C-alpha cells in the first residue's frame, strides 16, 4: 500500500513543515505485527476481566507486565522493519528528515 499522503509537523520553534512520504509500507513482518497486537489486545481484555472480577492485584500487575513486554517487543519488530525498509529508502533518496523523525519516534517509544 503506497503512503503518498501529505502531512504537517509543527517544530519546537513553531515552524510549520508540510511534506509527503513517497515510500511504500510493505514490510516483511506486517502480519506478525498484527498478530502480536491482536494477542496483546486479547490479553488486555482478559486483564480487564480480572480487575472486574476482583482478582488479586499482584496477579493483575504480573499480567500487565506481560502485556508491556509484548508491546515493547512488537515495537522492536516495527522499528527493525522501519530501519530495514523506510530508512534505507529514505537515505538512498536523500530524505534526511526521515532520520530526524525516526529519532523522535525512538525517543517517544523509549519513555
Amino acid at each position: 500500500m503506497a503512503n503518498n499522503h501529505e502531512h504537517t509537523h509543527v517544530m519546537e520553534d513553531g515552524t510549520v513543515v508540510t511534506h509527503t512520504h513517497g515510500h511504500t509500507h510493505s514490510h516483511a513482518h506486517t502480519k506478525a505485527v498484527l498478530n502480536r497486537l491482536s494477542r496483546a489486545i486479547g490479553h488486555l481484555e482478559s486483564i480487564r476481566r480480572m480487575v472486574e472480577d476482583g482478582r488479586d492485584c499482584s496477579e493483575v500487575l504480573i499480567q500487565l507486565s506481560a502485556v508491556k513486554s509484548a508491546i515493547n517487543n512488537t515495537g522492536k519488530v516495527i522499528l527493525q522493519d522501519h530501519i530495514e525498509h523506510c530508512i534505507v529508502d529514505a537515505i538512498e533518496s536523500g530524505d534526511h528528515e526521515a532520520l530526524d523523525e525516526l529519532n523522535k519516534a525512538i525517543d517517544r517509544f523509549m519513555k
Side-chain angles (χ1 to χ4, degrees):
M1 150 170 129
N3 185 21
N4 292 325
H5 67 280
E6 180 175 275
H7 60 276
T8 302
H9 299 273
V10 179
M11 310 312 266
E12 289 180 13
D13 66 359
T15 305
V16 177
V17 178
T18 302
H19 66 102
T20 60
H21 288 279
H23 60 270
T24 314
H25 275 94
S26 59
H27 300 292
H29 298 102
T30 298
K31 185 172 172 107
V33 165
L34 292 172
N35 288 339
R36 286 170 179 250
L37 290 172
S38 292
R39 281 194 305 272
I41 290 167
H43 200 159
L44 271 175
E45 289 172 348
S46 71
I47 295 169
R48 180 161 45 81
R49 285 191 300 275
M50 288 175 69
V51 172
E52 289 172 346
D53 294 343
R55 295 279 295 274
D56 181 69
C57 294
S58 297
E59 292 178 30
V60 172
L61 289 170
I62 290 167
Q63 295 306 312
L64 282 172
S65 176
V67 171
K68 280 176 43 178
S69 178
I71 290 170
N72 284 338
N73 287 330
T74 304
K76 289 177 191 175
V77 172
I78 293 170
L79 181 58
Q80 180 182 12
D81 262 1
H82 185 59
I83 290 168
E84 290 175 359
H85 299 282
C86 303
I87 297 301
V88 168
D89 291 346
I91 290 170
E92 288 173 353
S93 67
D95 180 5
H96 297 287
E97 185 178 341
L99 293 176
D100 292 337
E101 290 179 15
L102 172 61
N103 284 325
K104 289 177 189 172
I106 291 171
D107 284 345
R108 288 183 184 143
F109 181 70
M110 298 300 290
K111 285 186 178 182

